[in-house]
Amino acid sequence: EEEKAVGAKILVVDDEEILRNMLTDVLTEEGYEIVPASSGEEAVKRLREEYFELVLTDIMMPGLNGIEVLKAAKEIEHGTDIIVMTGYASVETAVESMRLGASDYITKPFNIDQIKIVIARTLKRRTLERRAEEGEFYKELSKIDSLTQLFNHKTFHQLLEVEVGRAKRHNQPLSLIIIDIDNFNIYN
């Protein structure tokens, strides 16, 4: 079973009230916080007012369509994941939405279990990407002196060891120059 990002805030955009209500009910039962929008215009307004981890939008809507909602969402908050819903007849439009940055698409009529899986998978990928970025950030942070923003003592010794090994392997000379800078604290 897919791990769920319980409490994730999802904007559900569909001009068809029955579908919007059904998606809201099903996804609320899954533990997500759902905000419904009945039009592209309402969706863009909501996107400007609050942050959503995910936007689930119909493509074919009067006024602002799903592609325009996608473009606006990416402008407002680049990191928001968007899943578009489309009828089988307009799969090319769904593919175009993927080119514009949609995370995935679902064809109508859809299977509820498919929607649950696609949403859970998208949110899980998002969580894993965020963790990976944080891991890289902390890894880099552990190499840097916070005051000078230069490599710290530990990193210096690791790099020196690598360079000594390289010099030995290639039978090359290695020089190390140490410079003492007077009154260095004025540079801090």
Side-chain angles (χ1 to χ4, degrees), residues 65-82:
N65 64 31
I67 297 288
E68 293 163 317
V69 170
L70 165 65
K71 288 176 182 174
K74 288 296 181 183
E75 256 179 50
I76 293 164
E77 177 59 56
H78 182 73
T80 299
D81 281 304
I82 293 114

Side-chain angles (χ1 to χ4, degrees), residues 157-169:
H157 283 284
Q158 289 171 340
L159 291 171
L160 181 62
E161 195 175 309
V162 167
E163 292 305 321
V164 167
R166 184 176 311 176
K168 285 180 182 177
R169 275 193 314 279

Side-chain angles (χ1 to χ4, degrees), residues 106-119:
I106 298 167
T107 53
K108 290 179 179 181
F110 44 69
N111 174 297
I112 291 300
D113 290 329
Q114 178 198 11
I115 288 180
K116 290 177 185 178
I117 289 167
V118 168
I119 288 174

Side-chain angles (χ1 to χ4, degrees), residues 19-31:
L19 276 176
R20 191 174 61 249
N21 291 343
M22 184 266 298
L23 287 167
T24 298
D25 292 345
V26 167
L27 296 174
T28 299
E29 284 174 17
E30 289 292 293

Side-chain angles (χ1 to χ4, degrees), residues 81 122 124-135:
D81 281 304
T122 301
K124 185 174 185 177
R125 189 202 76 244
R126 174 189 189 80
T127 301
L128 293 174
E129 285 173 356
R130 190 178 295 133
R131 284 184 193 156
E133 286 171 7
E134 286 172 0

